[in-house]
Amino acid sequence: MVDVNDDANGGGYRRVEVLTGPGRRRRWSDEDKARVVAETLEPSAIVAEVARR
């Protein structure tokens, strides 16, 4: 059984973001996708930083 207070026991609540509707999806061209993937393959690249940009 799940206790509804379990999240509060850890000292805080987790943030939940709900995305609804098709209008929130981004459309990436094949060229953009290739550029992002190539950037992550650079020796000094940090994937999380590339993703944030």
Side-chain angles (χ1 to χ4, degrees), residues 26 28 35-37 39-40 45-53:
R26 295 181 183 174
W28 301 96
R35 181 186 49 79
V36 171
V37 170
E39 190 175 340
T40 64
I46 298 173
V47 174
E49 288 179 2
V50 173
R52 273 190 226 105
R53 283 189 269 119

Side-chain angles (χ1 to χ4, degrees), residues 1-45:
M1 185 168 147
V2 176
D3 185 348
V4 295
N5 294 316
D6 282 347
D7 285 342
N9 293 337
Y13 290 96
R14 290 177 285 171
R15 178 178 172 201
V16 175
E17 184 174 347
V18 178
L19 302 176
T20 61
R24 295 198 181 245
R25 291 193 62 99
R26 295 181 183 174
R27 302 290 181 207
W28 301 96
S29 68
D30 289 342
E31 293 80 17
D32 285 337
K33 292 176 189 178
R35 181 186 49 79
V36 171
V37 170
E39 190 175 340
T40 64
L41 297 175
E42 293 291 324
S44 61

